[in-house]
Amino acid sequence: VEKVNNDSKIVELQIGRKLRSDSEVSCRCHLNIPAVIKVPPKLDDGTPFPTTFWLTCPMYSKKIGSLESHGLIKELDKEIGNNPDLKKQWESRQISYKQERDKLETIESGPKASGGVGGATESIKCLHSHTADELSTGENIIGKIVIESIGGFNCEQACINPETIEKNKDWKVVW
């Protein structure tokens, strides 16, 4: 995990809002632009935040949003119910993710983040969070399936110009 000058500004442009806590880049794309950030279990205002790895890459965000809108969460939830090996891998990561997040907790008072990846307990909930986890740790079977479905980083140009810290008007998603 590394922190580099201008990363916070780049991430804020990618996600379209100010960051709510100090975060570190946990994964970069092939163009060296932040793709995933590691977020503490409590935001600066004390709000519990169950998503340790937050996807910032607009290419992956758009592609994964398309998969979600076409029902992939329901499909994978059903597959988890029918495939004991997949269920075991999913449950194992849910447990280890929660344990890893709990170890990051530095503020003992107040409510704590709960659940596994993205705060989920009974179902997948969010493919973005599983993919961010896979990109950062290589330990998330659901994220791996998503990446296999849509491919790796393939932008021809950076989404953000790292010199000017502005959105690249010529950037586009390549399927």
Side-chain angles (χ1 to χ4, degrees):
V1 180
E2 59 184 284
K3 206 171 198 172
V4 177
N5 294 344
N6 293 325
D7 281 346
S8 293
K9 293 175 187 172
I10 290 170
V11 168
E12 287 174 349
L13 280 171
Q14 288 175 313
I15 66 175
R17 63 172 170 77
K18 292 277 187 197
L19 289 170
R20 296 168 54 200
S21 68
D22 283 337
S23 304
E24 298 176 346
V25 175
S26 59
C27 175
R28 292 178 179 278
C29 72
H30 65 295
L31 300 171
N32 202 34
I33 301 295
V36 180
I37 55 173
K38 186 175 185 179
V39 183
K42 280 203 177 108
L43 302 177
D44 287 351
D45 66 0
T47 302
F49 197 74
T51 307
T52 304
F53 299 105
W54 188 266
L55 188 66
T56 66
C57 169
M59 182 273 300
Y60 267 127
S61 292
K62 289 179 184 295
K63 288 183 177 184
I64 293 167
S66 179
L67 292 177
E68 285 183 348
S69 70
H70 286 93
L72 188 59
I73 291 176
K74 248 185 201 171
E75 197 176 306
L76 287 172
D77 276 339
K78 186 176 177 182
E79 184 63 22
I80 286 171
N82 295 332
N83 181 330
D85 183 52
L86 182 62
K87 183 175 185 170
K88 182 180 176 184
Q89 290 180 68
W90 177 77
E91 287 175 339
S92 175
R93 184 58 187 148
Q94 291 292 92
I95 292 165
S96 64
Y97 187 96
K98 181 185 182 321
Q99 291 169 340
E100 291 164 16
R101 184 187 60 233
D102 289 349
K103 286 180 188 173
L104 297 172
E105 185 70 65
T106 58
I107 303 169
E108 292 301 321
S109 62
K112 292 181 79 158
S114 61
V117 177
T121 55
E122 303 296 320
S123 66
I124 291 172
K125 188 176 174 183
C126 175
L127 297 178
H128 296 80
S129 58
H130 284 275
T131 304
D133 181 41
E134 173 63 16
L135 289 169
S136 297
T137 68
E139 297 180 12
N140 190 304
I141 187 62
I142 300 303
K144 182 177 181 176
I145 291 168
V146 170
I147 293 168
E148 288 172 355
S149 298
I150 58 179
F153 296 109
N154 69 345
C155 297
E156 295 171 2
Q157 298 180 38
C159 56
I160 306 292
N161 181 327
E163 304 299 318
T164 62
I165 315 299
E166 294 175 342
K167 286 187 176 185
N168 180 351
K169 294 177 184 102
D170 296 325
W171 175 83
K172 60 183 176 192
V173 174
V174 179
W175 280 89

